[in-house]
Amino acid sequence: MKILKTYLAPILIALIFIALTVVWPDAAVRSAQVTWDYFKEMALIMPAIFVLMGLMEIWIPKDKIQQWLGKQSGFRGAALAFVMGTLPTGPLYVAFPMAASLIRKGASITNMILFLGSWAALKIPQLMVEIKFLGLPFTALRFVLTLTALLIIGLVMDKILHKSPDLEWQKSAPDPARMPGIGMGMGMKAGVKPGMKPDMKPGMSTTDQKEKQSDNQT
Amino acid sequence: MATVLTIYGLLGLGLIASLVKSREKTAAAFKIAGKALMKTAPSLLTVLGIVGLTLGLLTPDTISRLVGAEAGWVATLTAAVIGAITLIPSIVAFPLAGSLLRAGATVMTISAFVTTLVMVGVVTAPMEIKTLGKKFTLLRNGLGFLAALLIAGIMGVLLK
């Protein structure tokens, strides 16, 4: 039953495919071809992305992510998020789990909107194709306007999600939830040992820890 | 191809560094990866299915007919909605947009299509909700859609 529930949506889609084969075979064949092509691409990319995420989860300490991409990271954080997004790294849904993991590690919402937005809208290879078919003025203007819009959306969403956080999402944390103040009790799954918590190093003095904690609050 | 090379290049470097430092922690990373992958698999399959269905039903021909040479708000709005729903690879989308532009569609319509195409993802929403939450997904896509309409309006005026 549990499996049925988890896979309800994919099963429904399979049924639609079957129905489509009966009423409109041409479209069904086209659709199946597209899905198969994307499936091959995903089967190649997705496992690697998740292992990268796992490595990041284990090795990159939370305070570093907070420092590089957190609220206080300022212009440099925004620039880093933007550059990470423009690298040639596949379709947007590859970036969702990465952004989620970074947010849990303390990256700011603004920077993650910038990251996802430039990933989707301002990728370098994509801009090349755009210039070729729609011209430089079109591409340049869209680039500037999109970047501005992303910044505004990021700032607005940061305000909104700070005022009324998505509690349901925070509870459903798939990996050790390490957001300050929430989910601490359930964060010890997935093979992460307590000693690996980056912001509680054994050699750290109490004043250091206090400073760390006050950092977390900001 | 560049995609695969970039990702596997990064993965290779990361794995070597990780293995040199600690085999146990590397194993832990794989464990986390496996769990996360299992959790996202259903929504990933859903997204792949919907992408296929939308592209199979909304062919470039159909899109041309819907947003073709007709000027005006209806065409722009239709283009924005189609762009928001579909997930077309840029190598297909930009030539299509270019040919629509030459066929007489307005700059506003084409920029609405291109901007919602890249900023709003209805078909990828199941996966975005699964990983980033409902609220985040609704806000990002909702605000992205509004921004795309604004951008289209500005571009339509400036690039006449």
Side-chain angles (χ1 to χ4, degrees):
Chain A
M1 272 327 272
K2 196 173 166 252
I3 289 183
L4 192 68
K5 209 183 156 203
T6 327
Y7 283 88
L8 185 63
I11 290 169
L12 277 178
I13 285 172
L15 290 176
I16 297 177
F17 265 99
I18 293 170
L20 200 62
T21 318
V22 178
V23 295
W24 192 2
D26 282 4
V29 170
R30 276 199 305 269
S31 300
Q33 186 62 48
V34 175
T35 296
W36 175 239
D37 285 345
Y38 271 89
F39 178 79
K40 280 187 291 188
E41 196 185 340
M42 282 306 96
L44 196 60
I45 294 177
M46 247 17 205
I49 288 289
F50 277 98
V51 174
L52 265 177
M53 248 180 58
L55 288 174
M56 211 174 78
E57 200 71 42
I58 295 284
W59 289 111
I60 302 185
K62 188 178 168 178
D63 52 347
K64 280 278 181 286
I65 296 290
Q66 247 169 6
Q67 184 192 333
W68 292 336
L69 290 165
K71 282 210 157 189
Q72 310 301 316
S73 61
F75 175 75
R76 277 172 58 188
L80 177 63
F82 168 76
V83 171
M84 275 164 53
T86 52
L87 294 175
T89 36
L92 183 62
Y93 41 109
V94 170
F96 293 146
M98 295 172 103
S101 166
L102 286 171
I103 289 176
R104 288 186 208 284
K105 285 228 170 194
S108 75
I109 299 286
T110 313
N111 284 341
M112 285 306 97
I113 288 295
L114 213 54
F115 167 64
L116 290 173
S118 51
W119 184 301
L122 308 172
K123 267 205 175 321
I124 294 163
Q126 182 181 313
L127 292 172
M128 299 301 185
V129 183
E130 188 175 354
I131 291 172
K132 191 165 164 232
F133 287 97
L134 293 169
L136 187 59
F138 185 99
T139 308
L141 189 55
R142 192 187 69 80
F143 184 96
V144 172
L145 291 173
T146 303
L147 195 55
T148 316
L150 286 174
L151 261 178
I152 297 171
I153 293 174
L155 290 169
V156 169
M157 277 183 63
D158 194 272
K159 276 264 172 335
I160 295 176
L161 286 173
H162 213 72
K163 255 196 182 146
S164 59
D166 192 341
L167 297 172
E168 207 183 312
W169 176 72
Q170 288 173 350
K171 262 189 240 153
S172 73
D175 35 32
R178 295 185 205 145
M179 290 184 73
I182 1 158
M184 283 310 191
M186 49 175 282
M188 292 294 110
K189 285 183 285 182
V192 178
K193 291 171 201 133
M196 282 147 69
K197 288 198 96 183
D199 38 359
M200 296 233 181
K201 288 193 189 109
M204 206 179 245
S205 72
T206 37
T207 43
D208 277 349
Q209 285 208 5
K210 273 201 186 116
E211 266 175 34
K212 275 277 165 333
Q213 273 163 8
S214 62
D215 275 350
N216 288 346
Q217 300 301 320
T218 52
Chain B
M1 212 47 220
T3 304
V4 177
L5 285 179
T6 313
I7 292 172
Y8 278 88
L10 283 172
L11 179 64
L13 290 177
L15 266 184
I16 291 169
S18 180
L19 277 170
V20 166
K21 271 187 148 176
S22 154
R23 282 179 60 176
E24 273 167 49
K25 286 195 178 189
T26 311
F30 270 96
K31 226 167 157 182
I32 293 179
K35 277 195 178 165
L37 189 59
M38 287 310 287
K39 257 207 148 137
T40 357
S43 53
L44 190 60
L45 286 175
T46 310
V47 167
L48 291 174
I50 303 178
V51 167
L53 284 174
T54 49
L55 282 184
L57 297 172
L58 275 175
T59 57
D61 284 346
T62 319
I63 296 175
S64 312
R65 238 182 304 125
L66 284 172
V67 300
E70 306 294 322
W73 283 103
V74 181
T76 305
L77 214 59
T78 312
V81 171
I82 293 177
I85 293 174
T86 49
L87 188 134
I88 308 175
S90 51
I91 201 79
V92 178
F94 289 117
L96 171 65
S99 70
L100 287 174
L101 199 57
R102 276 188 299 279
T106 58
V107 172
M108 202 188 285
T109 300
I110 294 308
S111 49
F113 174 66
V114 170
T115 316
T116 54
L117 188 65
V118 292
M119 293 250 281
V120 185
V122 172
V123 296
T124 52
M127 192 163 165
E128 189 172 357
I129 290 174
K130 187 90 203 171
T131 49
L132 286 157
K134 214 175 266 171
K135 215 168 193 169
F136 185 98
T137 306
L138 287 177
L139 281 170
R140 194 185 74 86
N141 287 284
L143 293 172
F145 189 77
L146 291 179
L149 289 182
L150 260 175
I151 290 173
I154 297 174
M155 288 181 69
V157 172
L158 290 182
L159 290 179
K160 258 213 170 112

